[in-house]
Amino acid sequence: MGATKHLDLTLIDGYLEALDISVIKQMLDLYVEQSSLYMEDIQHAVNSDDSKAWQEHCHKMKGSAASAGLKLVHQKLVYLEKTGENRDYKQQQVKALLALNGEAINAFQQWLLGK
């Protein structure tokens, strides 16, 4: 999957114009670390069937994904934050989000290798 599918290249190229590539790499590293914590929180919200916590944690990760330029992850979280579906559905969506997030991170890493 190409970077153009997963990444907001306008945003990231803007970062590249204003910031050193090492800062962008640090930004991605921070996102990877934070998204792992967000995913744990989202999973916990599903396990405890806590809709309020689900919305809060999806909202936090949504903002982080947007700031990192991960457009498909952001779009998925826009939807998930508002979903009122049952726990089984949310469990499936967590797995899909985890996979999508991994693909987006890989796309960003590949983009960085080309710089």
Side-chain angles (χ1 to χ4, degrees), residues 8-24:
D8 179 347
L9 293 176
T10 302
L11 177 69
I12 296 170
D13 285 339
Y15 288 157
L16 189 57
E17 289 177 17
L19 304 169
D20 187 76
I21 192 77
S22 65
V23 175
I24 296 171

Side-chain angles (χ1 to χ4, degrees), residues 84-95:
E85 297 288 340
N86 65 35
R87 187 158 74 178
D88 289 340
Y89 178 80
K90 287 179 179 176
Q91 192 73 299
Q92 293 170 356
Q93 293 303 307
V94 168
K95 289 178 186 172

